[in-house]
Amino acid sequence: MAAAEAKSKGNAAFAAGNFTDAVRHFTEAINLSPNNHVLYSNRSAAYASLSKFSEALIDAEKTVELKPDWSKGCSRVGAAYLGLHNYNDAILAYRKGLKIDPNNEVLKSGLSDAQSGQGRARGRGPSSSFGDAFSGPEMWAKLTSDPRTRTYLQQPDFVRMMQDIQKNPNNLDFYMKDQRVMQAFGVLLGMKWDTRTPEEGVKMPGGSPERKRRAESEPVKEEKRAGYKAQPVPQPEPVKVSEEEKELKERKVLALKEKEAGNAAYKKKDFENAVQLYTKAIELDDADISFLTNRAAVFLEMGKYEDCMKDCDKAVERGRELRSDYKMIARALTRKGTALVKMAKISKDYEPAIETFQKALTEHRNPETLKKLNEAEKAKKELEQQEYFDPQVADEEREKGNQFFKEQKYPEAVSRYTESLRRNPKDPRTYSNRAACYTKLGALPEGLKDADKCIELDPTFAKGYTRKGAVQFFMKEFEKAMETYQAGLKYDPQNQELLDGVRRCVEQMKKTSRGDLTPEELKERQAKGMQDPEIQNILTDPVMGQVLADFQENPKSAQKHMKNPLVVNKIKKLISAGILQVK
């Protein structure tokens, strides 16, 4: 296997999510081409996808060693260190890559990830420390199960705030002044605190009911009797919300309302109105990329593919800046890929679409995206065949093959016939000619496949049957060859090649039935016959088992069996295969 072929198989396995197979194929390719830096890079990515970051790091460092000026090698090193939670080295690797390629978005995104991870490791900021509390469906389950927050879920503005925080934990800073959010925060972290306002009273430490009763029953302290004035209990400062924070919160709420209205318009296919509503939402809050992806979906429906792609690009760029959910970024990339497919006119137009779908799958493996990728690859292949189709060139290539065949240059003939079929895959004559070449070369399975394709394309073409019969004859499947020649004679009863084929098969079958084979020939024939599924079915058939037993033990019953045409046919097959011999 060539290194390029193994690499291609590895890429296909990686795109399909079969990372273990991808590692195996890339390893095969590396064994064949040990100095190819791309192969180590690809295997590093496959290892990282399997969370085998130590192995990924070894391959990534080998990539950099082989190709120091290739920025992707630095990206692989950074990704491996990131997976190992070695954020300092990851940052160094990404910065090194950015010196080589300052505008590389993947390196920029990786550097941002590493810096965020470093911040979390140091415990900086509420969103760095507690962002995981808001991730996943567990958040809603916890809020629903706790009686303190269950009622909040019936309040739309609270739900929208929690959804906003879940999309981007950094938004927690905007809502920390809301007592409901703080109560929910405590529930999610498994902490208990009192969120009542000063007017409702402040619960002081140690204020259990029992202690309170004891305090009330105790006599007044001496200093109080002596006229000392008790110090007032300090009250917390009232929370002040800046006008800027208040305005930002209000704009987010208004943006969500515009989005909901846009969704309703989209469902009604009122696309112009939907675009306007989503645009308002974007103007009110540019920190939620779902507004952009939703407007992109509308543009896609309207056939405004350029506008759709612009929104998708903005969503990806803004999403990386905000550290948005990777699923949202994958959605934007999938929409862009769909728009590119819609615009495709020639096979090369599918290449950017396929690349975009593959990028989306690296963000999030979504079955819908994978399906779109497979469909794009299939459409590209079909268009390539159509673009390559040229019957005139196909005829010229077939004639070149015929000349090579006459000169007994069979490999060269196969090459010309193959090119002819690429130009015109519907010509049965070319399949017939290539089958003859394969037969001469001893490639009998390939010859049989071409002969079958020839018959499939034109069941009346006698050459297809002569080619198939010849292959079967050389494979010593005389019974099958006889059936093939007879099938061809139905369309061309006077065809001499078919008649000669029948005669040769009859001679061989008679020779077998008379037992005129050498012990070596008989042994070979029997071994081949036992591999035939049809012969295996006959021998395992209980009815035929009884028939064969009667031939040995009860000749009269055997004569009755021979009146059954089905039994006779099966007996002939066993004789032809050398399993039975007539003496």
Side-chain angles (χ1 to χ4, degrees):
M1 181 189 294
E5 183 182 352
K7 175 191 172 187
S8 179
K9 289 183 177 180
N11 290 340
F14 187 92
N18 300 325
F19 303 120
T20 302
D21 290 345
V23 167
R24 177 167 55 82
H25 291 307
F26 288 138
T27 301
E28 291 172 358
I30 288 170
N31 292 336
L32 295 166
S33 181
N35 295 318
N36 189 328
H37 64 282
V38 176
L39 298 176
Y40 287 99
S41 171
N42 290 4
R43 191 171 69 175
S44 176
Y47 275 134
S49 298
L50 292 168
S51 298
K52 295 182 177 181
F53 297 110
S54 297
E55 292 87 341
L57 180 59
I58 293 171
D59 276 358
E61 290 178 335
K62 182 67 175 179
T63 304
V64 174
E65 176 189 330
L66 292 171
K67 188 74 171 173
D69 59 344
W70 195 41
S71 63
K72 184 174 279 190
C74 299
S75 175
R76 297 297 190 212
V77 173
Y81 275 128
L82 199 58
L84 293 168
H85 304 296
N86 188 340
Y87 302 116
N88 292 335
D89 287 339
I91 289 171
L92 292 175
Y94 285 125
R95 284 177 176 167
K96 181 180 178 182
L98 285 168
K99 288 180 181 178
I100 301 170
D101 186 1
N103 298 318
N104 190 297
E105 290 298 326
V106 175
L107 288 167
K108 289 180 181 178
S109 175
L111 178 59
S112 178
D113 284 339
Q115 290 171 336
S116 298
Q118 188 183 58
R120 287 193 299 271
R122 292 174 180 173
R124 289 202 304 248
S127 59
S128 298
S129 303
F130 307 120
D132 292 342
F134 296 95
S135 63
E138 295 83 2
M139 181 188 83
W140 301 105
K142 288 181 180 179
L143 296 178
T144 303
S145 61
D146 195 289
R148 292 170 293 173
T149 54
R150 187 181 303 137
T151 56
Y152 296 160
L153 297 177
Q154 300 173 6
Q155 301 170 16
D157 63 325
F158 172 77
V159 173
R160 282 193 291 268
M161 285 190 287
M162 297 305 295
Q163 289 172 338
D164 196 27
I165 295 170
Q166 191 174 44
K167 289 176 184 175
N168 185 359
N170 290 325
N171 291 334
L172 176 62
D173 297 334
F174 299 124
Y175 302 119
M176 287 184 70
K177 304 299 186 293
D178 191 300
Q179 298 299 323
R180 297 171 298 172
V181 173
M182 292 305 297
Q183 183 72 68
F185 192 30
V187 169
L188 295 174
L189 294 177
M191 299 168 60
K192 293 184 179 181
W193 52 47
D194 198 326
T195 60
R196 290 181 295 176
T197 61
E199 290 78 7
E200 294 173 290
V202 178
K203 187 175 182 180
M204 300 300 293
S208 67
E210 180 60 30
R211 184 167 182 175
K212 185 177 179 181
R213 283 195 298 271
R214 286 203 308 268
E216 290 173 350
S217 64
E218 288 176 356
V220 181
K221 290 187 177 180
E222 192 63 34
E223 62 265 27
K224 195 166 184 180
R225 287 204 205 103
Y228 287 96
K229 187 176 181 181
Q231 295 296 322
V233 178
Q235 297 292 329
E237 289 289 330
V239 176
K240 294 182 180 180
V241 180
S242 68
E243 289 298 322
E244 185 180 349
E245 290 176 330
K246 185 177 180 181
E247 182 184 355
L248 182 60
K249 182 178 176 181
E250 290 173 352
R251 288 171 69 87
K252 285 182 174 292
V253 172
L254 289 173
L256 287 170
K257 288 181 179 178
E258 295 292 343
K259 175 187 175 182
E260 290 171 2
N263 292 347
Y266 178 81
K267 290 177 182 177
K268 294 177 182 178
K269 299 190 180 297
D270 185 1
F271 298 134
E272 293 290 349
N273 189 30
V275 167
Q276 293 177 9
L277 292 164
Y278 288 136
T279 302
K280 288 180 183 177
I282 294 167
E283 292 170 352
L284 288 165
D285 179 14
D286 67 346
D288 189 337
I289 66 171
S290 69
F291 305 152
L292 282 166
T293 57
N294 284 16
R295 189 171 69 175
V298 181
F299 283 138
L300 188 65
E301 290 288 342
M302 297 172 74
K304 296 182 177 181
Y305 304 127
E306 293 289 348
D307 291 334
C308 171
M309 290 191 293
K310 286 178 184 177
D311 271 2
C312 291
D313 287 337
K314 287 179 186 175
V316 173
E317 181 182 356
R318 189 71 175 126
R320 296 202 189 284
E321 291 174 1
L322 297 168
R323 316 307 309 143
S324 298
D325 188 347
Y326 56 86
K327 293 180 183 178
M328 293 296 296
I329 294 175
R331 182 183 300 172
L333 289 167
T334 300
R335 293 242 164 98
K336 180 181 178 181
T338 305
L340 287 166
V341 166
K342 295 283 187 182
M343 297 172 67
K345 291 186 170 79
I346 60 175
S347 60
K348 286 189 176 180
D349 291 343
Y350 280 94
E351 291 176 2
I354 290 169
E355 183 181 355
T356 304
F357 286 137
Q358 289 172 339
K359 286 181 180 178
L361 288 169
T362 61
E363 295 288 342
H364 174 55
R365 292 206 60 77
N366 183 289
E368 181 186 354
T369 305
L370 183 60
K371 181 182 177 183
K372 288 178 180 290
L373 171 63
N374 293 336
E375 289 173 348
E377 290 174 336
K378 182 180 178 182
K380 178 177 181 288
K381 185 176 181 181
E382 290 175 352
L383 266 181
E384 284 175 339
Q385 291 177 345
Q386 293 174 16
E387 290 163 0
Y388 208 68
F389 181 80
D390 191 330
Q392 183 177 349
V393 175
D395 289 342
E396 293 172 0
E397 292 294 331
R398 190 181 73 255
E399 287 303 322
K400 291 178 184 178
N402 293 345
Q403 186 60 38
F404 280 126
F405 187 88
K406 291 175 184 177
E407 296 171 4
Q408 298 185 0
K409 296 179 179 179
Y410 302 122
E412 291 85 348
V414 167
S415 177
R416 292 302 92 208
Y417 289 140
T418 300
E419 178 60 23
S420 176
L421 289 170
R422 289 184 65 203
R423 293 289 186 174
N424 183 8
K426 300 295 183 182
D427 191 340
R429 297 172 298 174
T430 312
Y431 281 106
S432 169
N433 293 1
R434 194 170 68 172
C437 275
Y438 280 137
T439 305
K440 292 289 186 181
L441 290 168
L444 301 182
E446 290 82 356
L448 185 61
K449 183 179 178 181
D450 272 3
D452 281 331
K453 186 65 178 179
C454 173
I455 294 170
E456 177 190 329
L457 291 171
D458 186 359
T460 65
F461 187 43
K463 278 287 185 184
Y465 296 97
T466 60
R467 303 299 189 206
K468 182 176 180 178
V471 172
Q472 291 170 324
F473 188 88
F474 282 118
M475 295 173 76
K476 298 184 180 180
E477 295 177 350
F478 304 120
E479 186 75 25
K480 291 182 179 180
M482 171 75 84
E483 292 174 359
T484 299
Y485 288 132
Q486 289 173 339
L489 287 170
K490 292 179 182 178
Y491 299 103
D492 190 356
Q494 304 304 319
N495 187 289
Q496 193 58 48
E497 283 187 81
L498 293 172
L499 292 170
D500 289 343
V502 171
R503 177 180 53 78
R504 290 196 303 271
C505 289
V506 169
E507 289 175 358
Q508 287 296 325
M509 291 166 70
K510 285 183 177 179
K511 185 178 178 181
T512 302
S513 64
R514 291 195 303 266
D516 292 342
L517 300 175
T518 65
E520 290 76 12
E521 289 176 330
L522 179 60
K523 186 176 181 181
E524 181 185 357
R525 183 75 56 81
Q526 289 174 338
K528 193 168 188 64
M530 291 302 293
Q531 294 176 357
D532 188 333
E534 189 175 5
I535 297 298
Q536 292 174 5
N537 289 336
I538 293 173
L539 293 175
T540 56
D541 183 355
V543 174
M544 284 303 299
Q546 184 61 50
V547 170
L548 296 175
D550 286 343
F551 268 104
Q552 291 181 334
E553 301 170 3
N554 193 343
K556 290 184 178 179
S557 296
Q559 292 298 323
K560 293 180 182 178
H561 292 312
M562 292 304 290
K563 295 179 182 179
N564 186 333
L566 293 176
V567 172
V568 172
N569 187 42
K570 291 180 179 181
I571 293 294
K572 287 182 178 179
K573 288 183 184 295
L574 292 176
I575 293 173
S576 175
I579 306 299
L580 288 181
Q581 296 182 51
V582 180
K583 296 182 180 180

